[in-house]
Structure formats: C-alpha cells, structure tokens
Amino acid sequence: MDHRSRVFASVFAVPSLSHTTPTPIATPDLGYTALGQSFGSPFVANATGQHRAVKRNLAWSTATRFLSLPKSSNSGGVSFEIRQGLKTADVEEALRYLITGDGKTEDGNEESLLDWYTSEARLHFATAVRPILEHLWEKEIKLSSTWSVLEETQQILQHAQDLYMQSFNDHLIPVIQQLDGSVPTIRRSKSAISPSESANRKFRRDLHAVFAHSLPSQRLSKTLSYVLYDAGCAMFRLFIRQHEVQIGPPPEDPTAIRERMITVLDSLERVGLGGDTAQKAFAHAMDRLMDTFINSHYLKVDWYSQKSTVPHLRMWIKDGFCPFVELVLASLKSDTWRIQPTELQQWQDMALGRLGKARVETLFDFVIKWPKSMGAIQDIKEYLKLLNAKNNLTTAFRQQVARRLLHPGATTTWILNVYISIIHVFQTLEPKGVQLERVARPIRNYLKEREDTGRIIISSLLTDSNDRTKFGAGGELSYEIASEMQKPFANFNQEEDEELNWGDMNWQPAPTDASPDFKKSKVEDVIWFLLTLWDREEFINELKNILGDHLLKAADPEFEKEIRLLELIKVRLGDDKLQACEVMLRDVLDSKRINASIRASGNSPQPQGLQLPRTPDGVPKTPESYRLAKPSKAQLLPPSTPDSKPLQGPTLNAQILSSFFWPSLRDDEFRVPAEIEALQKDYESRFERIKGMRKLRWMNALGDGSVTLDFEDRTETFDKVFPWQVSVVYAFQPKPGEEWAAGKGKGKGKSNQAVTRNVQQLEEMLEMDEQLIRQALSFWVGKSVLREVSTDTYSVIENKSSAPSDSAAAAAAEELAEVQAQEQGAVRSQADVLLEKKDIYQSFIMGMLTAQGNIPVMRILMMMRMLVVGGFPFGEEEVKMLLEEMETEGKVIGMGGDVWGIKKA
C-alpha cells in the first residue's frame, strides 16, 4: 500500500486493510520433491525463493492477528485495554522473520510490519477515538470550561497513545533492538540514531500527526491561548481582562494555577499538541497578557508624585514577564527557552510602545490638565525614543486638536490657554522644538484668522494676574497669559541670523527630522510664541491700537506693566518698530508731570470768575470731578449752609497725546458742562504758558469722571463714568425758570415734580449723537437715577420709596448699558476707520485701475500701502471687500483670478 492510500485509510476506515488474511488465496507452486526428500514446507531452512511468499504470508498472518488492536465495545464506547493472546514461539518467530529475518521488506514493494501497525493505529483512532473528540469539540466552548475541555482532550489522547505504544514497545521494539549493534559503520558518531530509536521516533511522529489533524486547529489554538492567558492573569493578579470583567479575586491560588498550567502543558507536549502550534498560541496569549497588564496597572496617571511609570514597567518585564515566558517554554520543551538580553530589550521596547500609544491617544486630556499630568508626559517622552514614535505622536495629536480645539464652539481665550499648555508639554517632551513646530502650525494658523486673538493676548499681558476677578470663565482675559507675564525674563542678545553667528561656541545643527523652514530661536518661551503669531508689522499695529486704549484707561500711575511689556517685546522682536509705542508711553508719563506743573502754577482751587450755581435741595448737583483720561478724584462738600465752608470746585487732569504716533481715537463732539468747559479753558491757557504757545485740542469722548448726585432721600456717588454720561445727567439739572422742580412747594403750583427731558431735547441741548444719548440714559436708568415715564421721555427719581419699583427694567437697562459701554472703546476699531475712509480708498482704487488697467488684488494692496496718505493699515480681505462693494455699484468688474478692472459701459 502506497503512502497516499495509507493517508486515506487513516481518515476513512477501510476494513479490508485492517490486516491480511492468514492463508494465501491460491496454493503456491512448490515444485516436485526429489527421490529421498521429504515433502517440502515453508519453514524448511533450505526452502527455495519460491517458498518465501508462502512463508511470509503465514508469518504475516500470525503477527498481524497478534498485534491487532481492540475494536469498539458493544456499548458504543472505546476500550483502551490490550486484549492480546499469549505470545507463543510462533508469534516471536513470525515477528523476527518479518522484522529482522528474510521476510522483511527489501525493495520497498512490500509493506513492512511497522507500516502495517502504524496504519492499524490510524484506523483504530479514526473509528474509535476520533468520534469522541469530535463530540467534545463540536459545541461552542465557554470561557469557563476551556481548562476542562483541554484537560479531557489530553486525557483521551494520552490513553490512545498508551494503547498504541504498549504493543509497539512490548513486541516490536525488542525485535528491532537486535539490529542496533549490527549496523556496519567505520566510526560510530555520538549523534547517530539507532534503528530502534529511529523507529520509535517515526511511530510517535506519525501518531502525533494523526492526533493533531483530528482536532480543529484554530479552535484548539484559541482555547490553549486563552488557558495560558487566564493562567497569566491569575498569576499576576489581573482581575479586569480583555473582553470580560471578572469581579473579585480568582477562585484558585496563583501557585495552584501555576502547577495546573505546567501539568497541562507537559501533558499536551507528550501527546504531540505542543511544539510550534502551542508556542504560537502562547505568543498570542502573551500579547494579550501584556496589553491587559499595561491597561490594568500602568494607564493610571500618577497625579500626586508626577513620576513616570516606565521604570516600573521595565522592571515587571524583566522580573515578571520573562520568568513566566521561560516557565512556559520549558514546559513546551522548547530548545530556546532561555531569554536572551536582546529579547528582553525587545520586549521592554514593545511594552513601552504600547504604553506610549495609549498615552498618545489621550494626550489632549493630559495637555489640558498640565502640569498635574507630568507623570504621563514623562511616559510619552520615553516613548519618543522608539522608532516611528514621533510620527505617531504628531499625527495622532494633530487629529485630536482638529477635533476638539479648532472649531467655532471654542472661545479664543480657551484656545490660547490650551496652546500655552501645548507649548509647555512639547518643550518637556522634546526641547529641540521640532514636534512643537509641527503640531502648533495649524493652531497658529487658526488663531491668526480670529479677530480677537491679538486683543486678548495683549490685554492679558497688561492685566494683573493677582486680580482673579477679571479672569472669568468665557471672558476675554487669559489667566495663563497674565501668569506668564509675571515670570522673569532676561535679554538673550539674540542675533538676527544665528546661522551666521560664527562666535557662538554652543551652536548645534538643526535636528535631522526638522522641516526645511525650521529655525530655532534662543528665546523660545510662551511669550515668544504668542508674540510671533503674526508678522512683525501686523503685530506692532495691533499692539499700537490695544496699548493706546489700555494706556487711556490704566489705573496704575507708574505704568509698570506697560513698561515691562514693551521691554519684553524688544527682547523678542527687536526695538526698531516700537517707536510709536514708546512715544505713547512717554506721553502718559509726561502728562503726570505736566498736570503737577499746571496745578502748581495756580494757587486758587478754581479759575477766576467761575461761580458755581446754587441749586435747591433735592436736585442733582454739578459733577464733582471730570477727566479726559486719568482723573484725580476730589470730594465735593455738602450743600452750602450759613455755617459751611466755601465750596471747592471740580478738578481736572488731562493727558497730552502726540496725535501723530497714537492710533485713531474716538472724537465724538458734544457739549460738556459749563464748569468743565471753564476748567478746560483755564488748563489750556496754563499749558500754553508752560509749553511755549502749543495748542491743545480737547477730545471730550475720552476719559472718565466721578460725580455725586443729591436726591430728596439719598446721596449717591458714581465713579468711572464716561464723559457723555456725565453730560446727560447734568442736563437734568433745572434751568432758569424750573426752580419749581422738587422745590417742596415753593414753585407756582407745580411742587414736588422732577425735571423731565426727552431724547430730542437732549440732542438739541448737548449737540450729541442719539446713540450716545440712549446709551447714557440706559446707564442712569440701570442705576435708578432716571426712569422712563413715556416713550423716549425720562425723569429724575427723587424718592425711591415713592417711585414705582421696576427692578427688572432697571437691571435690563443696566446690562444693556454695560454692553454698549464695552463697545465704546477709546481707540476706534479698524472697521470704523475703514468705513470713514472708504470713499478715499475707493477713489484711489478707481484712479489706479483707470491709469494701469486690470490689476490683481495683491498689487492693489501694495500700491495703497505705499502711496495712500497716512498709510493703509489693512490687508487683502479689506481690499476685496472694497472691490466687491464697488462691483455692486457698477464701477469695477472681476476678471477672474483676483484680477479687477474698470467696468466699461
């Protein structure tokens, strides 16, 4: 029987191949006996070759009947007990004849007795044992029964192997061992294998192949993998595992689990289920075990000591993981069960890579919680030493930033706060700055597109971080930026081009993974990254506008934060573009000295000829102080009585601004109270004597003041009041002929009536814009000074107790006034300036297109910046807006590709 037939018979039972019949099918031709000779016999020693077939058939029949394996019992089970007859001399003679005698196979055309017994074992396994295994493995195996299924499978295979090996070792091996010493060799090698050992190995190998092919290999591998994984979890006390949750400790002691695992592995190795298949299953189990252990023990962040967990992870790989691997490999009889140092390093790097990837997936959360997340950041820093770790970090974090940060729902203040944390985190991860430059690029581009970015940055830099009340959630001030301003800084003497600084002995080349435009500065702190968001020219223009508005509202007379900010910007951006800012700061500092000189030049508290009006009781009085930008408050005495001292008039401080260097300021025109106007004229005359006849132009819309209002039942003082608000409330003071107002019955039949004004009257009296009047009226309604008695008509609330209570309306009016006041900045917005000079800019564009023909937008912008008187402090978007408006008016037409020309009739 050839090899293909034996393979087929091992799977599909062929009864005719169980063993050969003991008698030949036909009587052999034995020839004739000579005279004097007895009748021939197959066992006669001098039998000729024609008698060998008969003799071999008889020996074959005797041996195969003796070695036949037991069949299934009547009950349907399988018997693993040998029920062989007595081993007679004929059996021994037949075994020797077929194995070592003349009956052994010589040319390969005849089947040997060892091959027959192997086929007999295969056939017995296919008919008696395999159905039991199929029944055991045909159902879905639950995780809780994996151990028992594997142990039962091993026991069945072990019994079958013992059955097959018993006859082989008892009857066949002793005969084969007779050939061990008869192999002719010149010099026997120590590694040479004897015939008996070779036959034993071959028979076991064939049995193990039958065992392995009788089981579903994939399910067997998964089951063994889970058993090893379960054993590892139990030994390392892992209660939360992959794809399942186990509550409480394992039911068995780790030592018992260890012994049980070793027993199962040794048993599987004996029945041929070890080897490469078991090692692959073990590798899969170790992969899951490493992930489970890292998720269970090392994904927790050390928020208190803020230390890295990588040293503990490396120690566990060395002292826990590797000994467990060696134990399993030794049980599987692996040739290389000793762990080499290179393998230890590879496993430590593998564990670090998985920990690092898990950390990178939640890096955005660690950035938000900086610096409490220092421990997790240190883990990622160790992870970056691995191959391709930096690319994974950059790609994953940029996706997190795009998904969770760069969207319209995030406020600019919050984006800036997160950006500052990103700077700190990535400077810790990689001081060279390459990764920071990569991940920060989309954030910087996004911040450039937001209009309030510059205002928030500079305003936060100018805010005192100790005053926490200014940093509300959702406000436009960043506490992180203000805190960075408090940190010390030094002049690093940075060169314009560090690549050409041949005297720098600490120079280092750019990192190999840096982009072509990468350039590392020596001054790379948070302030530097914030100040370099824009081009230097654009940033200086933004700084000029915001600093100007801040200087006019600053409460610090020494301007320490402003001076510090300018010095900081000089260090980082250079001082060649800060001339205007320095002049602005010098103006407010010189104004303090000028105010002192003017006060010293006049001894009287008020100018000559200024008489304050005497007002009746219960009527709002004259403002007690007023300023244009930086006031000094002076308290006004109570209403005059026969015993009171003479009244002290209001005082005024002014800030002298150099109009050429300051940005466009608000210049709303309206009438101020007469007392303030007299103070302005007196101040102007004194200033001309000190400054050599230099003229002043008063900007009444700037500054603030403090007023005290006397009512019938109360006296209230209001600070930080805008000039137009002072003028509006002053307009409610009685005019000549209105002395009856709140006059306690001294008028002509109209006593106890308050002064009433409407919006139109106030416009005529104050020559003020209606918008400012309504904002001031809303402010005083919110302060319960005025109330709206009818549409656009307001009167003074002399007595709160008798006035109808409408707290909701007052609160709404106050909130509206606050919103409107915030929009009324000292510096005019870019939109206001553009709207004011729109006609000039459009005329210039028309002239340019008429003279030069079709021109692209960038060239129009360049020409306007060079040729427009006073400069063109706008960008490409504003130019496009002007052109689109001109297009709607039919003046110009777009030619495509940002090219514009005159529209022809």
Side-chain angles (χ1 to χ4, degrees):
M1 184 172 58
D2 59 3
H3 177 71
R4 293 172 57 89
S5 300
R6 288 197 298 270
V7 173
F8 182 84
S10 66
V11 179
F12 302 96
V14 182
S16 61
L17 297 178
S18 60
H19 55 78
T20 57
T21 175
T23 57
I25 297 176
T27 302
D29 183 11
L30 300 179
Y32 300 97
T33 57
L35 293 176
Q37 291 183 352
S38 62
F39 184 76
S41 172
F43 298 99
V44 177
N46 57 353
T48 61
Q50 57 197 23
H51 299 141
R52 179 180 179 276
V54 175
K55 184 177 180 180
R56 191 177 190 278
N57 285 341
L58 292 176
W60 186 268
S61 178
T62 302
T64 53
R65 286 184 179 274
F66 177 77
L67 295 175
S68 297
L69 296 173
K71 302 299 183 289
S72 301
S73 62
N74 297 330
S75 60
V78 60
S79 174
F80 293 106
E81 297 181 359
I82 297 295
R83 295 190 298 270
Q84 293 176 342
L86 182 64
K87 186 178 180 181
T88 62
D90 291 341
V91 173
E92 293 182 359
E93 179 65 21
L95 293 176
R96 285 195 298 271
Y97 177 79
L98 293 174
I99 297 176
T100 62
D102 295 336
K104 66 180 181 180
T105 303
E106 295 179 352
D107 54 1
N109 294 326
E110 296 177 325
E111 183 181 15
S112 67
L113 186 61
L114 297 180
D115 293 337
W116 173 87
Y117 186 74
T118 302
S119 299
E120 177 72 5
R122 290 174 178 171
L123 182 60
H124 179 271
F125 182 84
T127 56
V129 181
R130 183 170 181 173
I132 302 176
L133 296 176
E134 289 177 348
H135 177 73
L136 181 63
W137 286 87
E138 67 181 358
K139 299 180 182 179
E140 182 180 356
I141 301 175
K142 299 181 179 179
L143 296 178
S144 58
S145 59
T146 52
W147 284 86
S148 59
V149 170
L150 204 60
E151 290 173 339
E152 186 176 354
T153 301
Q154 183 273 327
Q155 291 175 1
I156 294 174
L157 294 178
Q158 185 64 50
H159 289 317
Q161 178 173 284
D162 293 342
L163 172 65
Y164 305 144
M165 293 301 300
Q166 182 177 353
S167 297
F168 188 83
N169 292 330
D170 293 346
H171 307 300
L172 298 179
I173 289 298
V175 178
I176 300 176
Q177 287 177 350
Q178 297 176 7
L179 299 175
D180 291 348
S182 61
V183 178
T185 56
I186 299 176
R187 179 179 297 176
R188 187 174 182 85
S189 172
K190 293 182 180 181
S191 60
I193 301 176
S194 63
S196 60
E197 181 66 22
S198 176
N200 189 13
R201 291 186 180 182
K202 181 178 182 302
F203 182 69
R204 285 182 178 274
R205 184 171 62 250
D206 293 339
L207 281 182
H208 292 168
V210 173
F211 292 169
H213 286 84
S214 65
L215 297 173
S217 59
Q218 188 173 4
R219 297 185 64 193
L220 175 64
S221 177
K222 289 184 177 180
T223 304
L224 178 58
S225 175
Y226 179 80
V227 167
L228 295 174
Y229 169 72
D230 184 69
C233 291
M235 293 175 62
F236 291 113
R237 313 293 292 180
L238 302 178
F239 305 143
I240 301 178
R241 309 178 184 181
Q242 287 186 355
H243 312 302
E244 62 169 323
V245 178
Q246 178 175 338
I247 302 176
E252 299 184 41
D253 184 72
T255 304
I257 289 287
R258 179 178 181 273
E259 297 299 329
R260 186 182 182 186
M261 181 193 67
I262 294 176
T263 302
V264 169
L265 292 177
D266 290 340
S267 302
L268 292 176
E269 180 66 24
R270 287 197 300 270
V271 297
L273 298 182
D276 293 340
T277 302
Q279 291 184 25
K280 291 179 181 179
F282 174 63
H284 186 263
M286 289 298 97
D287 181 75
R288 296 178 58 192
L289 180 64
M290 181 180 293
D291 285 340
T292 303
F293 194 86
I294 292 175
N295 294 336
S296 176
H297 288 71
Y298 294 110
L299 286 188
K300 302 175 183 177
V301 180
D302 188 354
W303 303 105
Y304 300 99
S305 60
Q306 301 178 3
K307 294 182 180 179
S308 173
T309 60
V310 173
H312 296 84
L313 178 60
R314 292 184 181 275
M315 183 176 63
W316 175 75
I317 293 293
K318 179 181 179 181
D319 299 334
F321 188 81
C322 287
F324 181 70
V325 172
E326 291 180 343
L327 174 66
V328 175
L329 292 180
S331 300
L332 294 176
K333 305 299 187 294
S334 175
D335 296 334
T336 58
W337 63 274
R338 289 287 185 185
I339 303 301
Q340 302 299 322
T342 55
E343 294 176 329
L344 172 62
Q345 183 63 38
Q346 291 175 356
W347 283 339
Q348 288 178 340
D349 293 343
M350 183 187 302
L352 176 58
R354 298 184 182 188
L355 174 64
K357 289 180 180 179
R359 290 278 193 251
V360 168
E361 291 177 357
T362 56
L363 178 57
F364 190 83
D365 296 324
F366 297 144
V367 167
I368 294 177
K369 296 177 182 179
W370 173 267
K372 294 182 179 179
S373 59
M374 174 61 79
I377 300 304
Q378 293 295 335
D379 293 341
I380 300 178
K381 185 176 182 179
E382 293 292 328
Y383 165 68
L384 292 181
K385 298 178 182 178
L386 303 181
L387 184 64
N388 294 328
K390 294 181 178 179
N391 292 335
N392 177 53
L393 171 69
T394 304
T395 303
F397 188 70
R398 291 183 67 165
Q399 293 175 353
Q400 297 174 36
V401 167
R403 184 178 66 255
R404 301 181 59 181
L405 184 66
L406 306 183
H407 56 82
T411 63
T412 305
T413 304
W414 190 67
I415 296 177
L416 287 170
N417 293 339
V418 175
Y419 179 44
I420 292 174
S421 298
I422 291 174
I423 294 172
H424 288 303
V425 168
F426 277 83
Q427 283 182 338
T428 303
L429 290 176
E430 190 203 32
K432 294 181 179 179
V434 176
Q435 302 304 313
L436 175 59
E437 187 262 344
R438 291 179 178 177
V439 301
R441 189 178 303 159
I443 304 176
R444 295 172 66 87
N445 293 336
Y446 188 81
L447 286 173
K448 291 179 183 179
E449 298 175 357
R450 293 215 170 185
E451 297 179 355
D452 57 347
T453 301
R455 182 177 68 254
I456 294 175
I457 291 176
I458 300 176
S459 300
S460 300
L461 290 173
L462 294 172
T463 305
D464 187 6
S465 61
N466 296 325
D467 188 1
R468 289 296 189 97
T469 59
K470 297 181 179 179
F471 304 97
E476 289 199 351
L477 292 177
S478 170
Y479 177 76
E480 282 72 14
I481 297 178
S483 300
E484 293 293 332
M485 187 63 182
Q486 302 299 324
K487 297 180 180 179
F489 67 94
N491 190 345
F492 291 85
N493 295 325
Q494 182 181 359
E495 297 289 340
E496 290 293 330
D497 191 350
E498 295 184 9
E499 297 297 329
L500 301 179
N501 184 13
W502 309 109
D504 186 6
M505 296 294 102
N506 296 322
W507 177 88
Q508 292 183 355
T512 56
D513 55 344
S515 59
D517 57 346
F518 174 79
K519 185 177 181 181
K520 182 176 177 61
S521 172
K522 290 184 178 180
V523 193
E524 285 197 352
D525 55 359
V526 172
I527 303 297
W528 184 87
F529 282 103
L530 295 178
L531 298 183
T532 55
L533 278 174
W534 307 270
D535 294 335
R536 186 172 301 185
E537 193 73 27
E538 296 178 0
F539 176 77
I540 296 301
N541 291 334
E542 189 73 20
L543 173 65
K544 182 179 176 181
N545 293 332
I546 298 176
L547 182 63
D549 184 75
H550 180 81
L551 289 175
L552 296 178
K553 299 178 180 179
D556 181 14
E558 303 298 332
F559 298 97
E560 294 181 359
K561 294 186 65 64
E562 292 75 8
I563 296 174
R564 175 182 172 85
L565 176 62
L566 290 181
E567 293 298 325
L568 183 146
I569 296 176
K570 287 180 182 179
V571 172
R572 287 153 177 80
L573 302 181
D575 56 354
D576 54 334
K577 300 293 184 179
L578 296 178
Q579 180 183 4
C581 296
E582 291 179 338
V583 172
M584 292 162 57
L585 182 59
R586 187 171 64 246
D587 284 345
V588 295
L589 292 174
D590 290 345
S591 298
K592 179 181 178 182
R593 178 179 53 82
I594 294 173
N595 287 327
S597 300
I598 290 178
R599 284 196 300 270
S601 63
N603 296 324
S604 60
Q606 59 186 22
Q608 185 177 359
L610 177 62
Q611 300 293 332
L612 294 178
R614 302 258 180 182
T615 60
D617 293 339
V619 178
K621 298 179 64 177
T622 306
E624 68 175 19
S625 78
Y626 183 86
R627 78 165 192 172
L628 292 183
K630 188 172 70 66
S632 60
K633 301 177 183 177
Q635 197 69 11
L636 189 63
L637 295 177
S640 60
T641 61
D643 299 330
S644 63
K645 297 181 180 179
L647 288 173
Q648 180 182 358
T651 60
L652 178 135
N653 282 341
Q655 288 183 338
I656 315 301
L657 311 180
S658 303
S659 59
F660 180 79
F661 295 95
W662 283 74
S664 298
L665 302 175
R666 294 192 56 188
D667 195 13
D668 300 289
E669 296 290 342
F670 55 88
R671 297 186 62 180
V672 298
E675 290 82 357
I676 301 300
E677 186 176 0
L679 287 175
Q680 289 178 344
K681 292 180 179 180
D682 180 68
Y683 189 98
E684 186 173 354
S685 62
R686 296 177 187 273
F687 177 81
E688 291 177 358
R689 289 197 298 268
I690 295 175
K691 289 295 183 178
M693 303 306 293
R694 292 178 61 184
K695 299 294 184 179
L696 293 178
R697 183 173 65 88
W698 295 93
M699 307 182 73
N700 294 326
L702 304 181
D704 56 54
S706 175
V707 296
T708 299
L709 304 179
D710 287 345
F711 300 92
E712 185 176 315
D713 61 343
R714 68 194 185 279
T715 299
E716 296 186 17
T717 300
F718 300 93
D719 298 326
K720 299 292 183 180
V721 184
F722 289 114
W724 61 88
Q725 295 171 347
V726 175
S727 296
V728 168
V729 75
Y730 185 78
F732 282 84
Q733 192 144 280
K735 293 182 178 180
E738 294 180 341
E739 291 82 1
W740 47 264
K744 296 183 180 181
K746 297 180 181 180
K748 298 179 181 180
K750 295 184 179 182
S751 61
N752 297 326
Q753 294 185 7
V755 177
T756 302
R757 302 277 188 266
N758 57 39
V759 175
Q760 184 176 1
Q761 290 176 341
L762 293 174
E763 287 187 50
E764 295 174 356
M765 293 171 58
L766 302 177
E767 300 177 4
M768 185 183 298
D769 185 67
E770 180 182 353
Q771 181 182 1
L772 292 179
I773 292 177
R774 293 187 180 275
Q775 190 275 331
L777 291 173
S778 299
F779 174 79
W780 292 117
V781 170
K783 299 297 183 181
S784 297
V785 173
L786 303 176
R787 70 169 178 266
E788 188 174 8
V789 295
S790 62
T791 304
D792 290 345
T793 303
Y794 297 83
S795 65
V796 180
I797 302 177
E798 292 290 348
N799 195 325
K800 279 189 175 181
S801 59
S802 62
S805 177
D806 193 358
S807 58
E814 183 177 9
E815 182 178 358
L816 176 61
E818 290 180 356
V819 173
Q820 293 174 345
Q822 290 178 359
E823 298 176 355
Q824 303 291 337
V827 178
R828 301 175 63 186
S829 64
Q830 295 288 84
D832 294 338
V833 176
L834 181 63
L835 183 62
E836 179 185 359
K837 298 183 178 180
K838 179 181 66 174
D839 296 336
I840 299 176
Y841 295 150
Q842 291 181 347
S843 299
F844 184 87
I845 293 174
M846 285 292 296
M848 187 186 311
L849 295 177
T850 303
Q852 302 185 21
N854 301 336
I855 304 177
V857 174
M858 286 301 300
R859 185 176 176 186
I860 295 176
L861 175 62
M862 181 183 64
M863 297 294 290
M864 293 182 71
R865 286 180 174 177
M866 291 189 302
L867 301 178
V868 172
V869 179
F872 184 74
F874 303 102
E876 184 177 355
E877 294 298 326
E878 287 76 9
V879 175
K880 289 182 179 179
M881 185 181 67
L882 293 173
L883 289 169
E884 290 172 356
E885 184 175 349
M886 295 169 65
E887 185 180 21
T888 58
E889 297 174 357
K891 298 179 180 179
V892 299
I893 185 173
M895 311 301 293
D898 285 343
V899 178
W900 294 78
I902 298 293
K903 185 176 181 179
K904 299 180 180 180

